[in-house]
Amino acid sequence: MAESVAGPGRARGKDSKGEAVTSTNGFNRRTFLTRGAAAGGVVVLGAAGLSACSSSSSSPSTTAGSTGTKPSSGSGTPVRGGSLTVGTIAEIDGFFPATNHWDTNGFLYANTVYDPLMAVAADGTIKGYLAQSMTSNATYDVWTMTLRPGIKFSDGSDLTSAVVKANFTVLADSALAGKALAQVASVATPDDMTLVYTLTGPNPTFPSGLTTQVGYVVGEAMIQKAASNYAGTLVPVGTGPFVYSEWQPNDHFTATRNPNYWRGGLPYLDQITFKPIPDTTQREATLRSGGVDMIESVDPNTITNFEGSGGSGFQLVDTRTGVIGQPTFSFIMLNNLLPPTNDLGIRQALAKGMDQAEVQKVLGGPPAKPATGVFLPDSPYYSDTHYPTYDPAGATSLVKAYKARHGTPSINLMTIADPLAIKEVQAVQQMWEQVGFQVSITEVEQATIIDDFVLGNFHAVTSYQFGEVNPDLNYVWWSTTTISPIGQIGLNFTRMNDPLLEKAMLTGRHTTDESTRVTAYQTVNERLVKNLNYLWIEQYLFSEVASQRVQGFDHWTFPDGTPGYGFDEGIFVPTQTWLAQ
Amino acid sequence: MARYLLRRFLQLVVVTFIISVLIFLLVHLLPGNPADVILGSSDTPHNRAILDAQLGLNKPLIQQYGTWLTALFHGNFGQSYLNHESVTHIIATGYPIDLELIVISQVIAFAVAIPLALVTSRRPNRAVDNVATTATFGMLALPPFVIAPIMVAVFAVGLHWFPATGYVPLTQNPGTNLHDMILPSLAITAGSIAVYYRLFRSDLISTLQEDFVTMARSKGLSPRWIMWRHAFRPSSFSLLAAAGVNIGALIAGTFIVEYLFAINGLGFELVTAVQQRDYLVVQGITLVVAVAYVVLQFIIDFIFTIVDPRVTRE
């Protein structure tokens, strides 16, 4: 039976071509890119999913430069040919979804040489991409996927259900990605084009998990090679619009047009090259001097720099508006197992002792929406959480109470070695010391901070995460099932152990009733604030700046013409990008 | 001289051996098992088995060193654990960049510093000397990470004369390569100009006050002849020694400039590898840099024997 579930504000049922429209689950995608973003060990396991936010617009914000820069969304007739060069923030560690850690850059590379099984449409619905359809039984615990016929990998092999299952098997064996697939009890392949996923329990939103890292399909030859030899992760074999040409890590990755791409007439570009330029100022200067055609950024100052007269001749796209679902937030994580942050009173003191507005000023850039939980007020899942406001007197009182029992609380505040992040923690350090804490700062490198997250080696640490179109994609980060002792791998980084939160998340996952889901995720939001393992700061902004000749970089469509989610938290799809003459 | 050089060469071999031992121990001095550090969150039995085999961690330390050394002699430095690239390849692509940066920047530095010192030392504390001294003092105070963005803003973004970032190998396109390398080279050359100029100028001034120079003047020799034939060589010892130290520091020491201009020299690769705990890359590059430094000092010693044969006396 072909059932589908819609989030608020979107239609149920099938699309215009009779393809099943479904919903969500899975994993977070752009997880913990820490501010400053070097690629290194970012554990990113997927994202995208169900439409969760009826008030979100379907396209991202495109800002015109002062000289009348047009939005890039493919205005005009696409022109075939040309070579696009993109300045990226950092390098990736490989192309194999099962073992490599994809951040925003990882997904840029993946969208170049691979296709996902499912993808997010501009209206927030989940539609098949490599999959022609995906339907569930009445209880949402058995999902049947039919693949599109006639699709070939870059090595000439066919996309079949056996290959997709082989991908699933290596992903399920993966130390981290496997957690996202733990709800799948078995996968059957009744014929060459059909897969049947049997889940451990009902999940109406399961397909959205296949829009994430675990939904990108690589060829059988690559699986064989990558599973036995790390060198096998270096050369992708995919069905994507471009094929691997050359990769010199930290210098450039070049892919050329796939002449046998299954979507006839696409891509438009002959070649695409990604050049990591880690320094934001230099990346911007390279764009301005014509060294690259477009750049990505997670520095809010990029938005300021390219708005108004500074953006003359350039197109700016950013995530201040147009985010589907919940945006990425910046916050400080507090460890639930290590003293003194294992004490709720201390976490309350830290929350009350941090002036959120002042921290936002330190972070600079354009005004970002302040966060008081994991949903913004325009989300249906938002509820007034009564998140603690700045109250230094209250914080001081709580610290004194703790001090009487255990002595002066000493907090180590960790961040990555990045100027902006360091400014942020220095401001927070000053605030916390004023209310009676002893605060030391530790700067660590991007690659190692991920291990500290996973192993729980922190008191307090800056991070950003949780931008998803479906809140269920964040399940693993807060679940009681992903808690591990300090020093062991656990995806519940804070080690927050809340059965009520777990129950609400599972209710949100399993229910088919929208009002029940809304209530469940409102409870999730409230529990997160009650536990105070996250001190919320603000929405985290992604941006992309392109020269005038780059067209369609925030615009792509499904094979049936349905518009896709163009600029998903810093990630674009180059399939329909083209260069104006 | 041959005996002196032979002794220096033997010292070089001993120092290289000691360095190789220390660098090998680098991984083993890490707290805990190196595999724990390298694997981090990717620590699965499968990955651990591969890493143990790759590093030979289950063998005695001395045997591991022997295996590592043998592999080095075969040009095998292992592979990056992060992106699985061959360390030999990383070094092979990185060292020409450092070499080119060093050569261009030092040629510019000598070409500016030496003539300037020759001119100003003849009339110290005059206007030209004061201007040059003040200017070089300013250069000394401006680190590359300040100079580089200024040059990029003016010459790349403003005038579009040079690219802001990027690099094309010399073998691929010599013209574009030189064009790409001008700004990075200029960014690191300022400090060298200042050091060389100030050292050489003060040594020249000192030499020009020596008795043998007074004698030469009294014989009616021209100032230019005196400068080139009598003052230049004895004044160049400090310059030579400083050049040895300075060039040695630039081997893999140009990280800031490489980072800012997004060119992947050894410095960039080394710092990136340290940040990412990519120890096989750190090990390989550190060894190459250390050996290069030792060889450079040997070359400087050799040049000293030509400039001042007295150094070879027992």
Side-chain angles (χ1 to χ4, degrees):
Chain A
M1 134 177 217
E3 283 281 353
S4 63
V5 175
R10 74 177 172 86
R12 294 173 67 109
K14 296 181 179 180
D15 67 10
S16 58
K17 287 205 169 181
E19 295 171 351
V21 182
T22 46
S23 13
T24 217
N25 177 39
F27 237 67
N28 171 10
R29 169 175 320 163
R30 50 253 160 195
T31 345
F32 20 102
L33 291 160
T34 328
R35 201 177 290 278
V42 182
V43 182
V44 200
L45 298 173
L50 176 70
S51 80
C53 182
S54 60
S55 60
S56 294
S57 62
S58 61
S59 64
S61 157
T62 305
T63 305
S66 64
T67 55
T69 305
K70 293 178 297 184
S72 72
S73 299
S75 53
T77 305
V79 177
R80 186 177 303 286
S83 178
L84 177 75
T85 304
V86 183
T88 62
I89 298 166
E91 189 54 278
I92 68 167
D93 64 343
F95 290 91
F96 197 43
T99 55
N100 294 127
H101 305 141
W102 292 354
D103 58 2
T104 305
N105 304 290
F107 280 92
L108 286 179
Y109 285 30
N111 285 336
T112 303
V113 292
Y114 300 133
D115 291 313
L117 288 166
M118 309 294 290
V120 186
D123 63 358
T125 57
I126 305 301
K127 287 173 59 69
Y129 201 83
L130 286 178
Q132 192 162 45
S133 67
M134 189 157 193
T135 58
S136 75
N137 63 358
T139 51
Y140 300 100
D141 55 0
V142 178
W143 286 87
T144 302
M145 174 190 288
T146 305
L147 299 172
R148 291 181 195 276
I151 297 177
K152 288 187 181 296
F153 287 97
S154 54
D155 64 355
S157 60
D158 293 322
L159 173 73
T160 63
S161 57
V163 177
V164 176
K165 185 178 178 182
N167 275 265
F168 171 84
T169 303
V170 291
L171 285 160
D173 287 343
S174 162
L176 292 176
K179 300 279 186 189
L181 299 172
Q183 62 179 311
V184 181
S186 67
V187 178
T189 53
D191 62 51
D192 276 356
M193 304 309 289
T194 307
L195 293 107
V196 179
Y197 295 85
T198 303
L199 310 185
T200 55
N203 186 353
T205 62
F206 173 69
S208 70
L210 301 178
T211 66
T212 69
Q213 184 165 335
V214 297
Y216 283 81
V217 183
V218 308
E220 179 85 41
M222 185 180 180
I223 294 173
Q224 298 298 333
K225 206 172 170 187
S228 61
N229 188 338
Y230 286 115
T233 67
L234 305 180
V235 181
V237 176
T239 61
F242 297 87
V243 293
Y244 174 95
S245 173
E246 184 182 32
W247 184 29
Q248 176 69 48
N250 291 320
D251 188 75
H252 69 276
F253 164 59
T254 299
T256 53
R257 185 173 186 273
N258 181 353
N260 303 312
Y261 191 46
W262 57 278
R263 293 187 64 182
L266 295 175
Y268 296 125
L269 296 168
D270 286 338
Q271 181 173 292
I272 185 165
T273 297
F274 297 97
K275 288 174 72 71
I277 305 171
D279 184 76
T280 304
T281 306
Q282 291 298 92
R283 205 177 322 116
E284 291 176 6
T286 305
L287 175 68
R288 290 185 189 281
S289 65
V292 294
D293 301 302
M294 61 189 289
I295 59 169
E296 59 171 354
S297 180
V298 292
D299 187 333
N301 291 304
T302 297
I303 297 172
T304 309
N305 294 342
F306 282 90
E307 274 191 326
S309 58
S312 175
F314 297 98
Q315 306 166 85
L316 168 67
V317 177
D318 64 75
T319 56
R320 280 174 296 177
T321 58
V323 174
I324 294 176
Q326 64 205 72
T328 299
F329 293 102
S330 60
F331 49 80
I332 294 175
M333 281 195 290
L334 302 177
N335 197 314
N336 204 54
L337 291 185
L338 291 179
T341 51
N342 60 345
D343 185 288
L344 180 59
I346 284 295
R347 297 200 297 275
Q348 288 169 337
L350 291 168
K352 289 181 178 186
M354 187 176 82
D355 187 345
Q356 187 188 37
E358 197 57 39
V359 177
Q360 282 194 275
K361 276 186 202 165
V362 171
L363 290 172
K369 293 167 188 164
T372 57
V374 78
F375 301 110
L376 288 174
D378 58 3
S379 165
Y381 305 130
Y382 174 82
S383 55
D384 185 359
T385 56
H386 304 291
Y387 183 76
T389 51
Y390 182 49
D391 174 15
T396 305
S397 164
L398 287 163
V399 171
K400 277 181 183 167
Y402 181 90
K403 198 173 174 180
R405 287 178 282 128
H406 305 288
T408 303
S410 179
I411 302 283
N412 180 261
L413 179 54
M414 187 187 286
T415 192
I416 60 161
D418 170 78
L420 193 58
I422 292 165
K423 270 174 69 178
E424 176 189 358
V425 294
Q426 284 173 339
V428 174
Q429 178 188 37
Q430 198 176 4
M431 293 169 194
W432 285 350
E433 286 182 342
Q434 281 173 356
V435 298
F437 286 100
Q438 275 182 354
V439 183
S440 58
I441 290 175
T442 301
E443 296 169 28
V444 295
E445 298 305 329
Q446 172 76 25
T448 61
I449 204 168
I450 303 304
D451 291 336
D452 291 320
F453 287 177
V454 173
L455 300 173
N457 293 331
F458 62 89
H459 277 147
V461 60
T462 59
S463 184
Y464 61 95
Q465 203 179 347
F466 305 137
E468 298 296 350
V469 289
N470 171 16
D472 183 54
L473 294 168
N474 285 318
Y475 170 79
V476 292
W477 313 119
W478 306 322
S479 170
T480 54
T481 65
T482 53
I483 298 173
S484 295
I486 301 298
Q488 293 180 26
I489 294 173
L491 294 184
N492 183 334
F493 304 143
T494 65
R495 274 65 182 167
M496 168 179 54
N497 190 346
D498 184 350
L500 294 177
L501 176 64
E502 177 76 13
K503 186 181 173 191
M505 286 193 293
L506 289 177
T507 302
R509 167 180 288 185
H510 295 316
T511 186
T512 57
D513 177 65
E514 191 51 39
S515 64
T516 306
R517 176 178 288 113
V518 167
T519 305
Y521 286 119
Q522 285 178 345
T523 303
V524 167
N525 202 24
E526 286 155 16
R527 294 305 305 171
L528 286 172
V529 170
K530 194 164 183 65
N531 294 328
L532 280 176
N533 291 97
Y534 297 92
L535 305 185
W536 304 102
I537 299 174
E538 64 178 10
Q539 181 190 350
Y540 192 79
L541 299 175
F542 297 86
S543 60
E544 200 96 42
V545 188
S547 69
Q548 289 277 30
R549 72 186 197 118
V550 184
Q551 298 292 305
F553 66 92
D554 61 345
H555 173 78
W556 61 274
T557 61
F558 285 82
D560 65 2
T562 305
Y565 185 9
F567 186 61
D568 181 2
E569 297 286 80
I571 301 159
F572 78 100
V573 179
T575 310
Q576 285 158 275
T577 301
W578 54 282
L579 295 173
Q581 297 298 309
Chain B
M1 183 194 287
R3 194 171 168 187
Y4 169 80
L5 289 176
L6 180 64
R7 199 174 70 237
R8 296 300 259 177
F9 179 75
L10 290 174
Q11 287 173 349
L12 183 151
V13 172
V14 171
V15 168
T16 305
F17 171 74
I18 293 169
I19 288 170
S20 75
V21 172
L22 292 175
I23 290 171
F24 171 75
L25 291 174
L26 179 73
V27 168
H28 298 271
L29 290 174
L30 292 168
N33 188 325
D36 294 338
V37 180
I38 292 170
L39 289 174
S41 57
S42 303
D43 192 0
T44 63
H46 175 71
N47 289 350
R48 183 169 281 264
I50 289 174
L51 186 67
D52 282 348
Q54 187 181 326
L55 300 180
L57 292 173
N58 45 359
K59 296 173 184 168
L61 206 59
I62 187 81
Q63 194 178 340
Q64 289 180 42
Y65 176 72
T67 307
W68 181 66
L69 209 57
T70 308
L72 287 186
F73 280 117
H74 287 86
N76 178 11
F77 287 75
Q79 67 176 21
S80 160
Y81 205 78
L82 191 73
N83 58 30
H84 320 299
E85 192 181 6
S86 154
V87 178
T88 310
H89 183 251
I90 291 172
I91 293 168
T93 52
Y95 94 85
I97 295 172
D98 281 52
L99 193 63
E100 205 178 338
L101 273 176
I102 290 170
V103 168
I104 296 174
S105 67
Q106 296 308 292
V107 165
I108 295 171
F110 285 121
V112 173
I114 291 175
L116 199 59
L118 288 171
V119 169
T120 57
S121 61
R122 288 173 62 183
R123 291 182 180 80
N125 300 319
R126 299 287 183 85
V128 176
D129 183 40
N130 288 338
V131 169
T133 302
T134 306
T136 53
F137 185 76
M139 285 176 169
L140 211 53
L142 283 175
F145 62 80
V146 173
I147 296 174
I150 293 171
M151 289 200 305
V152 166
V154 175
F155 297 111
V157 177
L159 299 171
H160 291 267
W161 287 357
F162 301 102
T165 57
Y167 166 79
V168 171
L170 185 67
T171 50
Q172 199 171 313
N173 188 329
T176 307
N177 168 273
L178 194 61
H179 189 231
D180 291 349
M181 294 299 268
I182 291 293
L183 287 188
S185 300
L186 286 174
I188 54 174
T189 205
S192 299
I193 289 172
V195 170
Y196 296 162
Y197 165 75
R198 293 167 77 86
L199 275 176
F200 195 45
R201 172 190 167 276
S202 77
D203 281 3
L204 276 172
I205 290 171
S206 176
T207 305
L208 289 171
Q209 291 169 0
E210 293 283 342
D211 291 344
F212 67 89
V213 173
T214 308
M215 173 65 80
R217 284 197 185 113
S218 70
K219 286 161 68 179
L221 298 176
S222 71
R224 176 172 295 190
W225 181 263
I226 291 169
M227 187 66 86
W228 283 105
R229 292 291 297 177
H230 297 280
F232 192 99
R233 197 158 85 163
S235 302
S236 59
F237 301 153
S238 302
L239 177 67
L240 198 54
V245 172
N246 191 41
I247 295 171
L250 287 177
I251 302 172
T254 53
F255 162 72
I256 293 291
V257 165
E258 291 174 19
Y259 173 84
L260 289 174
F261 288 94
I263 48 179
N264 303 338
L266 284 185
F268 181 86
E269 296 287 4
L270 179 60
V271 174
T272 304
V274 169
Q275 289 173 343
Q276 296 172 338
R277 297 189 189 182
D278 202 345
Y279 286 102
L280 290 180
V281 179
V282 173
Q283 218 174 31
I285 295 178
T286 309
L287 183 66
V288 167
V289 169
V291 170
Y293 191 87
V294 170
V295 169
L296 175 72
Q297 296 314 312
F298 178 75
I299 293 169
I300 295 289
D301 284 346
F302 176 70
I303 296 173
F304 259 121
T305 64
I306 296 168
V307 175
D308 184 7
R310 291 173 300 176
V311 300
T312 62
R313 291 177 195 159
E314 294 293 339

